[in-house]
Amino acid sequence: QITLRESGPTLVKATQTLTLTCSFSGFSFSTSEVAVGWVRQPPGKALEWLALIYWDDDKRYSPSLKRRLSIAKGTSRNQVVLTMTNVDPVDTATYYCVHSHNKLGISGSYYWNMDVWGKGTTVTVTS
Amino acid sequence: NFLLTQPHSVSGSPGKTVTISCTRSSGSIASDYVQWYQQRPGSSPTTVIYEDDQRPSGVPDRFSGSIDSSSNSASLTISGLETEDEADYYCQSFDISSLWVFGGGTRLTVL
């Protein structure tokens, strides 16, 4: 059974750097074609994809946030760390980590799905 | 890049049928799979439809998905509405640069 759990500070001051950790079980990066992504949701607003790290250490970022984000595998082999620099109150949100794998779709093409989500961690940025 | 546009809210009475649309702003809706997620208050999203019209095990067959190339949109239809269906629903697809693109979400109210 795949599980993911987000952790990090609940309060961060504007201009500081936010570091979030996703601890997971039930899979590992030694398995090819798996990935872990981050998605956030400001209060009362929509979901927004932030970043993705693949089993082979390749990384992808949201173009709008790319300059401020960094995703990496943690020192523990079952962790992923997301770093966001220069935070602002608009970054106040619930941050989710998500398991993904390269799935063969019904029409014969592959795609990176999102099949298991963590419970999320709420971060408030104060000015 | 493209946007996925959803109605802000829809509503229906128990037992009725509602449809939530998701319109892609550019590029073909049929070129990339569309997923639908249900998010109840205080909970993480869960998948109710994947690959346009596939239903995960455990999701009632009252939930169905489709795509319409003529309107360049995807739709989530929920029939036999139940009070437990009251939630926010998000469509999601893929973009070469933005990878995972989400719609703005639709609040379903079961009256």
Side-chain angles (χ1 to χ4, degrees):
Chain A
Q1 179 190 4
I2 293 173
T3 63
L4 306 100
R5 180 172 51 88
E6 306 86 350
S7 60
T10 56
L11 279 176
V12 182
K13 293 183 179 179
T15 75
Q16 289 185 339
T17 295
L18 170 65
T19 300
L20 297 173
T21 300
C22 175
S23 303
F24 58 83
S25 63
F27 70 98
S28 74
F29 281 125
S30 61
T31 302
S32 61
E33 309 290 323
V34 299
V36 172
W38 286 91
V39 174
R40 72 177 179 180
Q41 184 174 38
K45 296 190 177 181
L47 301 165
E48 178 186 19
W49 170 68
L50 301 177
L52 185 72
I53 186 165
Y54 298 92
W55 87 101
D56 61 359
D57 215 37
D58 192 13
K59 298 156 189 174
R60 296 281 301 276
Y61 296 99
S62 165
S64 63
L65 293 166
K66 184 175 183 176
R67 291 183 295 107
R68 299 172 50 213
L69 292 175
S70 177
I71 190 170
K73 296 175 184 176
T75 51
S76 167
R77 64 189 184 101
N78 288 344
Q79 287 186 334
V80 168
V81 177
L82 180 73
T83 302
M84 178 182 290
T85 61
N86 192 28
V87 297
D88 181 271
V90 300
D91 297 313
T92 293
T94 297
Y95 288 76
Y96 297 98
C97 63
V98 187
H99 170 269
S100 177
H101 75 276
N102 198 14
K103 188 177 186 295
L104 177 60
I106 194 168
S107 62
S109 58
Y110 283 89
Y111 70 104
W112 288 91
N113 73 347
M114 288 181 277
D115 56 3
V116 184
W117 296 63
K119 293 186 183 298
T121 186
T122 300
V123 178
T124 301
V125 180
T126 59
S127 57
Chain B
N1 288 14
F2 62 87
L3 299 176
L4 295 173
T5 301
Q6 301 179 232
H8 287 115
S9 63
V10 298
S11 63
S13 302
K16 298 298 186 182
T17 297
V18 295
T19 297
I20 301 171
S21 62
C22 171
T23 302
R24 178 166 169 160
S25 63
S26 61
S28 171
I29 191 73
S31 63
D32 302 282
Y33 293 120
V34 175
Q35 279 63 235
W36 289 90
Y37 301 94
Q38 176 192 69
Q39 186 179 33
R40 296 192 172 103
S43 296
S44 307
T46 60
T47 306
V48 291
I49 294 291
Y50 66 97
E51 295 169 22
D52 301 336
D53 57 7
Q54 302 298 299
R55 199 172 46 250
S57 60
V59 173
D61 60 5
R62 302 183 294 103
F63 289 79
S64 62
S66 64
I67 61 169
D68 179 1
S69 295
S70 65
S71 60
N72 213 34
S73 64
S75 293
L76 172 68
T77 298
I78 309 171
S79 60
L81 272 176
E82 299 182 0
T83 54
E84 66 179 25
D85 299 332
E86 191 160 285
D88 293 329
Y89 292 85
Y90 293 90
C91 60
Q92 174 263 318
S93 192
F94 302 90
D95 179 72
I96 189 71
S97 60
S98 297
L99 194 61
W100 294 332
V101 179
F102 291 95
T106 299
R107 172 69 54 87
L108 168 61
T109 301
V110 181
L111 303 168

PDB file of all heavy atoms in Angstrom, chain A residues 31-43:
ATOM      1  N   THR A  31      12.566   1.646  -8.355  1.00  0.00           N
ATOM      2  CA  THR A  31      11.639   1.143  -9.379  1.00  0.00           C
ATOM      3  C   THR A  31      11.550   2.184 -10.483  1.00  0.00           C
ATOM      4  O   THR A  31      11.292   3.364 -10.219  1.00  0.00           O
ATOM      5  CB  THR A  31      10.242   0.912  -8.782  1.00  0.00           C
ATOM      6  OG1 THR A  31      10.327  -0.005  -7.708  1.00  0.00           O
ATOM      7  CG2 THR A  31       9.287   0.387  -9.841  1.00  0.00           C
ATOM      8  N   SER A  32      11.761   1.771 -11.702  1.00  0.00           N
ATOM      9  CA  SER A  32      11.726   2.726 -12.803  1.00  0.00           C
ATOM     10  C   SER A  32      10.296   3.184 -13.060  1.00  0.00           C
ATOM     11  O   SER A  32       9.320   2.525 -12.680  1.00  0.00           O
ATOM     12  CB  SER A  32      12.316   2.114 -14.071  1.00  0.00           C
ATOM     13  OG  SER A  32      11.574   0.986 -14.463  1.00  0.00           O
ATOM     14  N   GLU A  33      10.212   4.309 -13.706  1.00  0.00           N
ATOM     15  CA  GLU A  33       8.927   4.861 -14.127  1.00  0.00           C
ATOM     16  C   GLU A  33       8.028   5.270 -12.960  1.00  0.00           C
ATOM     17  O   GLU A  33       6.804   5.231 -13.077  1.00  0.00           O
ATOM     18  CB  GLU A  33       8.175   3.886 -15.043  1.00  0.00           C
ATOM     19  CG  GLU A  33       8.978   3.351 -16.206  1.00  0.00           C
ATOM     20  CD  GLU A  33       9.257   4.407 -17.259  1.00  0.00           C
ATOM     21  OE1 GLU A  33       8.384   5.245 -17.516  1.00  0.00           O
ATOM     22  OE2 GLU A  33      10.366   4.406 -17.821  1.00  0.00           O
ATOM     23  N   VAL A  34       8.635   5.664 -11.837  1.00  0.00           N
ATOM     24  CA  VAL A  34       7.843   6.252 -10.761  1.00  0.00           C
ATOM     25  C   VAL A  34       8.317   7.677 -10.527  1.00  0.00           C
ATOM     26  O   VAL A  34       9.440   8.046 -10.890  1.00  0.00           O
ATOM     27  CB  VAL A  34       7.930   5.443  -9.440  1.00  0.00           C
ATOM     28  CG1 VAL A  34       7.404   4.043  -9.627  1.00  0.00           C
ATOM     29  CG2 VAL A  34       9.336   5.455  -8.885  1.00  0.00           C
ATOM     30  N   ALA A  35       7.456   8.457  -9.911  1.00  0.00           N
ATOM     31  CA  ALA A  35       7.781   9.853  -9.642  1.00  0.00           C
ATOM     32  C   ALA A  35       6.972  10.339  -8.441  1.00  0.00           C
ATOM     33  O   ALA A  35       5.981   9.715  -8.048  1.00  0.00           O
ATOM     34  CB  ALA A  35       7.470  10.726 -10.862  1.00  0.00           C
ATOM     35  N   VAL A  36       7.437  11.435  -7.882  1.00  0.00           N
ATOM     36  CA  VAL A  36       6.710  12.104  -6.800  1.00  0.00           C
ATOM     37  C   VAL A  36       6.557  13.567  -7.175  1.00  0.00           C
ATOM     38  O   VAL A  36       7.521  14.225  -7.577  1.00  0.00           O
ATOM     39  CB  VAL A  36       7.453  11.981  -5.455  1.00  0.00           C
ATOM     40  CG1 VAL A  36       6.775  12.850  -4.391  1.00  0.00           C
ATOM     41  CG2 VAL A  36       7.481  10.521  -4.994  1.00  0.00           C
ATOM     42  N   GLY A  37       5.350  14.055  -7.053  1.00  0.00           N
ATOM     43  CA  GLY A  37       5.076  15.444  -7.399  1.00  0.00           C
ATOM     44  C   GLY A  37       4.521  16.220  -6.215  1.00  0.00           C
ATOM     45  O   GLY A  37       4.130  15.646  -5.195  1.00  0.00           O
ATOM     46  N   TRP A  38       4.512  17.532  -6.369  1.00  0.00           N
ATOM     47  CA  TRP A  38       3.917  18.433  -5.376  1.00  0.00           C
ATOM     48  C   TRP A  38       2.819  19.245  -6.048  1.00  0.00           C
ATOM     49  O   TRP A  38       3.007  19.756  -7.168  1.00  0.00           O
ATOM     50  CB  TRP A  38       4.959  19.375  -4.791  1.00  0.00           C
ATOM     51  CG  TRP A  38       5.896  18.715  -3.823  1.00  0.00           C
ATOM     52  CD1 TRP A  38       7.098  18.138  -4.109  1.00  0.00           C
ATOM     53  CD2 TRP A  38       5.715  18.579  -2.416  1.00  0.00           C
ATOM     54  NE1 TRP A  38       7.675  17.635  -2.968  1.00  0.00           N
ATOM     55  CE2 TRP A  38       6.855  17.897  -1.911  1.00  0.00           C
ATOM     56  CE3 TRP A  38       4.716  18.962  -1.522  1.00  0.00           C
ATOM     57  CZ2 TRP A  38       7.001  17.596  -0.560  1.00  0.00           C
ATOM     58  CZ3 TRP A  38       4.864  18.662  -0.178  1.00  0.00           C
ATOM     59  CH2 TRP A  38       5.999  17.987   0.302  1.00  0.00           C
ATOM     60  N   VAL A  39       1.721  19.353  -5.344  1.00  0.00           N
ATOM     61  CA  VAL A  39       0.570  20.139  -5.784  1.00  0.00           C
ATOM     62  C   VAL A  39       0.124  20.994  -4.589  1.00  0.00           C
ATOM     63  O   VAL A  39       0.120  20.502  -3.461  1.00  0.00           O
ATOM     64  CB  VAL A  39      -0.591  19.222  -6.234  1.00  0.00           C
ATOM     65  CG1 VAL A  39      -1.843  20.051  -6.554  1.00  0.00           C
ATOM     66  CG2 VAL A  39      -0.175  18.387  -7.447  1.00  0.00           C
ATOM     67  N   ARG A  40      -0.231  22.229  -4.837  1.00  0.00           N
ATOM     68  CA  ARG A  40      -0.697  23.054  -3.722  1.00  0.00           C
ATOM     69  C   ARG A  40      -2.100  23.575  -3.983  1.00  0.00           C
ATOM     70  O   ARG A  40      -2.581  23.575  -5.122  1.00  0.00           O
ATOM     71  CB  ARG A  40       0.249  24.220  -3.453  1.00  0.00           C
ATOM     72  CG  ARG A  40       0.213  25.327  -4.492  1.00  0.00           C
ATOM     73  CD  ARG A  40       1.147  26.466  -4.084  1.00  0.00           C
ATOM     74  NE  ARG A  40       1.161  27.538  -5.071  1.00  0.00           N
ATOM     75  CZ  ARG A  40       1.892  28.636  -4.938  1.00  0.00           C
ATOM     76  NH1 ARG A  40       2.675  28.809  -3.873  1.00  0.00           N
ATOM     77  NH2 ARG A  40       1.854  29.570  -5.879  1.00  0.00           N
ATOM     78  N   GLN A  41      -2.728  24.040  -2.905  1.00  0.00           N
ATOM     79  CA  GLN A  41      -4.089  24.559  -2.999  1.00  0.00           C
ATOM     80  C   GLN A  41      -4.262  25.691  -2.002  1.00  0.00           C
ATOM     81  O   GLN A  41      -4.403  25.453  -0.792  1.00  0.00           O
ATOM     82  CB  GLN A  41      -5.101  23.448  -2.716  1.00  0.00           C
ATOM     83  CG  GLN A  41      -6.539  23.859  -2.879  1.00  0.00           C
ATOM     84  CD  GLN A  41      -7.479  22.691  -2.727  1.00  0.00           C
ATOM     85  OE1 GLN A  41      -7.280  21.792  -1.904  1.00  0.00           O
ATOM     86  NE2 GLN A  41      -8.528  22.665  -3.540  1.00  0.00           N
ATOM     87  N   PRO A  42      -4.259  26.936  -2.471  1.00  0.00           N
ATOM     88  CA  PRO A  42      -4.555  28.061  -1.567  1.00  0.00           C
ATOM     89  C   PRO A  42      -5.960  27.922  -1.010  1.00  0.00           C
ATOM     90  O   PRO A  42      -6.819  27.293  -1.634  1.00  0.00           O
ATOM     91  CB  PRO A  42      -4.433  29.285  -2.484  1.00  0.00           C
ATOM     92  CG  PRO A  42      -3.601  28.825  -3.636  1.00  0.00           C
ATOM     93  CD  PRO A  42      -3.952  27.383  -3.828  1.00  0.00           C
ATOM     94  N   PRO A  43      -6.206  28.504   0.146  1.00  0.00           N
ATOM     95  CA  PRO A  43      -7.539  28.377   0.763  1.00  0.00           C
ATOM     96  C   PRO A  43      -8.645  28.802  -0.190  1.00  0.00           C
ATOM     97  O   PRO A  43      -8.621  29.912  -0.738  1.00  0.00           O
ATOM     98  CB  PRO A  43      -7.452  29.317   1.974  1.00  0.00           C
ATOM     99  CG  PRO A  43      -6.008  29.441   2.265  1.00  0.00           C
ATOM    100  CD  PRO A  43      -5.292  29.310   0.967  1.00  0.00           C
TER     101      PRO A  43
END
